Amino acid sequence: MLTLILFSVILILIVTYIFIQFKQYDYFKSRNISGPTPSFFWGNLNTLWHVKSYSRQLAEWTKKYGRIYGLFEGTTPLFIVSDVEFLQEVFIKQFSNFSNRKMTVFTKLANGKRAHLFGAEGSQWRRQRHVINPTFSALKLKQMSSLINDCINELMKKLPNYSETREEFNIYALYKRMTMDVICRCGFGVDTDMQNNEDNIYLKKCGQVFASDVRKLPLMKLGTLIPSLGVIFGNLLLLQNIVARNLSKIFPSSILNFQETPGFWLRHRVQDIIQMRSDSAKQRVDLMNLMLEAASRENIEDKPDNDTNTIDRDQSVPKKLTYEEVISNVMLFMLAGYETTSTALAYATFVLANHSDVQQKLQNEIDQHFQDSGAEETIRNPDYDLVQNMPFMEIFVKEVLRMYPIASTVINRRCMHNTDVCGIKVTEGAVVQPDLYTIHYDPELWGPEDPNIFYPERHLTKRHPLAWMPFGNGPRNCVVKGDQLESKFNINEAAVIAPEEVWIHLEKRY
Ligand code: HEM
């Protein structure tokens, strides 16, 4: 009898679960929004996990289903949008309803003590952004110019060898090493020399972090499919790493090769460095120091979310970070800056190699500035102000990132409170994901010149505020501001759309 009751309860639970799942798949139909057919349990993930490019697939579906269509990650509904008015509502006007990103296993894991700016939510995010925003001010970046220039000069020493032999070489690899040196010096406080030491362990570990697509880890996939169990999968991932780390200490040369993931390895190194820096009296101007100045050993109580749309003007937010948060953010800057910036530089080089007219214009502007400034020191060490005064450089960079929006997949917003956007009901938990390729190549937004052509001057015409968003948009955009574009390239996520290699050959001008 008891067996029969138990069996009936389990059966009812399974049937209810299946019924709720099926019902969820009516989400877009009930709103008259079309989209590719989801399959039971997976939603559209089975397709998305197997396509070569997530962003290109979204653009393909936009051609078929229109400017707003629906997808499912497991049972989570995703609005895929290339309608800029809708996006303006979500990213700017209704920011308080859409202040967080899509939930991932890492977001769940990072919630609480360990959260960094990218993953933090609500009032914790607001406090962190309040502290970190000034760290990326023009003044602070200016103070870091010499650290950055040293790394660029190291790269410049290498390039003449290639122009003399006129051999083709993969410049992307050199950019990666240079970018990592910059990040380690500015963010990490370690004077690495990866450009001359290819075996550097930090370079290897960072390379490994990007080589493996974390979204495809089995525990990450499970967390995406069943978000309600995300905390459990996240903690299993953490446990797996703690066990591997301790086993590798006990059996350092075991044939079983116990290893924590590269991300966890990096986190522990950052922890050691922060400890050293906090104990040392020596000061240096870098991102780590700027954050350590705001670090507190005390517990920080965040007030309940007050739905403020502004960050800088809100004086009630405490200007403090915990040590755990400093560690997480140093790690974040390292990962957020490395792949994005080196890839952007690689695309910029690709464009210059293919457009001699653009190359010439940029060269003229640079030559002109150096002639005007005259001083030998400025020529060797161009600073932030000099680079800010180059209008063609600015539109060139903007056009590179319009055609190659490298971090488009990380731009999304999760609905926090049921609301209405442009007449469509969006419920708590649903995600809005812009289809950036369609937006950036939309002739209505970017014409009359063909958006498929590299034409920097198109940025001289005023466009829709949401037509260009390689750094996202609204209060939760990239922490390095738009007016610091060029320094972004100097300063420096598997979400980055990157080429494998960029082979070029150099010729001496004189
Ligand atoms: C070409 C270079 C870069 C590109 C294309 C880029 C792109 C992006 C994008 C698309 C986002 C998401 C924005 C949104 O959701 O609206 C983002 C966020 C972020 N980026 Fe960047 N980024 C770049 C460089 C950097 C650098 C150098 C750093 C720091 C060292 C950085 C730190 C961050 C942080 C901390 C966030 C999270 C902001 C928040 O949630 O409040 N990025 N970035």
Side-chain angles (χ1 to χ4, degrees):
M1 184 63 181
L2 190 68
T3 317
L4 189 70
I5 296 174
L6 212 65
F7 178 77
S8 314
V9 171
I10 292 174
L11 194 71
I12 292 168
L13 284 176
I14 292 175
V15 172
T16 316
Y17 174 74
I18 293 175
F19 177 75
I20 294 171
Q21 287 249 332
F22 267 121
K23 196 93 194 88
Q24 184 69 346
Y25 293 131
D26 285 340
Y27 190 89
F28 290 112
K29 265 188 229 142
S30 64
R31 287 164 176 76
N32 246 333
I33 294 175
S34 60
T37 314
S39 48
F40 177 68
F41 187 65
W42 306 99
N44 301 97
L45 281 174
N46 238 343
T47 314
L48 286 169
W49 280 338
H50 295 106
V51 292
K52 204 161 170 250
S53 158
Y54 181 89
S55 320
R56 299 273 181 203
Q57 182 59 54
L58 296 190
E60 277 306 307
W61 277 330
T62 297
K63 281 187 205 141
K64 199 162 166 196
Y65 301 110
R67 285 183 185 278
I68 302 177
Y69 65 91
L71 288 184
F72 290 92
E73 286 195 349
T75 48
T76 307
L78 258 74
F79 289 84
I80 310 296
V81 183
S82 45
D83 175 329
V84 282
E85 297 304 329
F86 188 101
L87 291 175
Q88 193 165 20
E89 278 286 317
V90 170
F91 279 76
I92 299 169
K93 296 185 187 157
Q94 291 201 37
F95 177 70
S96 52
N97 286 328
F98 293 92
S99 52
N100 297 325
R101 297 200 172 87
K102 189 160 75 181
M103 269 283 180
T104 68
V105 167
F106 282 126
T107 324
K108 296 227 175 186
L109 193 65
N111 263 337
K113 281 201 311 176
R114 288 178 152 221
H116 51 50
L117 189 59
F118 195 87
E121 304 210 329
S123 44
Q124 187 182 24
W125 166 75
R126 208 158 275 127
R127 171 175 54 78
Q128 289 201 15
R129 183 95 192 200
H130 194 55
V131 176
I132 290 172
N133 261 355
T135 308
F136 288 91
S137 69
L139 179 71
K140 302 288 182 204
L141 289 176
K142 235 194 250 183
Q143 290 171 346
M144 280 179 253
S145 292
S146 70
L147 290 176
I148 300 169
N149 276 327
D150 287 348
C151 303
I152 297 173
N153 288 338
E154 212 46 56
L155 173 73
M156 296 316 280
K157 275 191 218 156
K158 294 191 173 308
L159 293 184
N161 297 338
Y162 294 104
S163 61
E164 268 150 31
T165 57
R166 299 199 61 194
E167 259 176 47
E168 279 196 6
F169 68 104
N170 176 13
I171 198 159
Y172 190 25
L174 300 191
Y175 285 149
K176 283 188 181 176
R177 277 184 238 147
M178 182 200 63
T179 310
M180 190 44 76
D181 268 341
V182 174
I183 295 171
C184 282
R185 288 180 191 203
C186 293
F188 225 42
V190 188
D191 287 328
T192 51
D193 183 15
M194 302 195 191
Q195 302 192 68
N196 295 312
N197 174 10
E198 289 178 32
D199 293 328
N200 186 288
I201 186 77
Y202 288 97
L203 185 68
K204 282 196 172 156
K205 294 286 178 185
C206 264
Q208 286 166 9
V209 171
F210 285 99
S212 59
D213 187 344
V214 285
R215 290 169 302 175
K216 293 189 176 162
L217 290 176
L219 284 170
M220 280 291 277
K221 282 186 170 183
L222 279 170
T224 312
L225 282 167
I226 320 170
S228 48
L229 300 183
V231 180
I232 298 176
F233 298 130
N235 280 308
L236 279 175
L237 200 67
L238 193 62
L239 188 69
Q240 183 188 331
N241 278 283
I242 293 171
V243 171
R245 182 172 152 78
N246 286 311
L247 286 177
S248 69
K249 275 188 195 159
I250 302 168
F251 309 109
S253 53
S254 160
I255 44 162
L256 292 174
N257 193 17
F258 298 112
Q259 276 193 359
E260 53 190 335
T261 60
F264 280 86
W265 183 92
L266 280 171
R267 190 179 169 93
H268 285 113
R269 298 295 80 68
V270 176
Q271 214 162 333
D272 297 342
I273 291 165
I274 290 193
Q275 190 55 50
M276 262 162 40
R277 291 281 293 271
S278 328
D279 296 344
S280 142
K282 217 171 125 198
Q283 289 280 315
R284 75 185 253 166
V285 181
D286 56 25
L287 298 177
M288 186 185 276
N289 192 50
L290 293 168
M291 283 194 288
L292 282 175
E293 277 175 1
S296 158
R297 296 244 175 242
E298 284 154 33
N299 201 16
I300 301 173
E301 281 298 324
D302 288 304
K303 287 189 213 150
D305 214 353
N306 53 4
D307 285 354
T308 315
N309 266 348
T310 54
I311 309 294
D312 296 325
R313 275 180 280 143
D314 188 352
Q315 295 305 321
S316 65
V317 179
K319 277 208 151 197
K320 290 276 167 222
L321 295 176
T322 65
Y323 274 85
E324 282 286 339
E325 288 172 342
V326 174
I327 298 171
S328 300
N329 278 300
V330 169
M331 276 283 290
L332 171 69
F333 294 162
M334 193 157 175
L335 300 177
Y338 167 60
E339 189 89 344
T340 47
T341 311
S342 54
T343 307
L345 282 168
Y347 276 124
T349 309
F350 171 76
V351 168
L352 290 176
N354 283 294
H355 297 83
S356 49
D357 53 328
V358 176
Q359 194 182 131
Q360 193 56 55
K361 274 190 199 166
L362 198 57
Q363 191 64 63
N364 291 345
E365 184 174 82
I366 295 169
D367 287 350
Q368 188 60 48
H369 269 76
F370 284 123
Q371 266 165 29
D372 292 349
S373 71
E376 179 63 23
E377 180 49 28
T378 322
I379 294 170
R380 255 184 339 109
N381 285 324
D383 73 0
Y384 183 84
D385 290 334
L386 187 79
V387 185
Q388 286 294 300
N389 257 326
M390 294 186 173
F392 189 72
M393 174 78 91
E394 182 172 343
I395 57 175
F396 165 74
V397 172
K398 282 189 167 167
E399 185 68 346
V400 170
L401 292 172
R402 179 189 69 82
M403 291 195 80
Y404 307 102
I406 45 188
S408 63
T409 48
V410 302
I411 310 171
N412 59 66
R413 296 290 181 268
R414 191 169 91 240
C415 179
M416 306 306 293
H417 313 284
N418 293 353
T419 182
D420 193 297
V421 181
C422 301
I424 298 173
K425 279 197 172 27
V426 185
T427 50
E428 192 182 326
V431 172
V432 175
Q433 168 94 49
D435 166 8
L436 219 60
Y437 270 101
T438 302
I439 299 170
H440 279 194
Y441 285 80
D442 184 343
E444 280 178 32
L445 295 170
W446 290 104
E449 290 79 11
D450 180 356
N452 294 298
I453 292 170
F454 191 89
Y455 181 65
E457 286 78 4
R458 74 174 83 242
H459 295 272
L460 297 174
T461 308
K462 199 170 177 331
R463 309 284 172 174
H464 190 284
L466 274 282
W468 187 82
M469 46 189 300
F471 298 104
N473 215 309
R476 199 147 194 182
N477 63 355
C478 180
V479 78
V480 192
K481 307 286 179 310
D483 59 351
Q484 297 160 354
L485 270 182
E486 293 81 15
S487 41
K488 263 182 225 257
F489 272 45
N490 284 345
I491 289 183
N492 327 50
E493 165 205 340
V496 172
I497 300 161
E500 300 249 310
E501 294 167 340
V502 177
W503 287 79
I504 58 159
H505 86 256
L506 290 176
E507 280 174 36
K508 260 197 152 138
R509 280 203 298 150
Y510 37 76

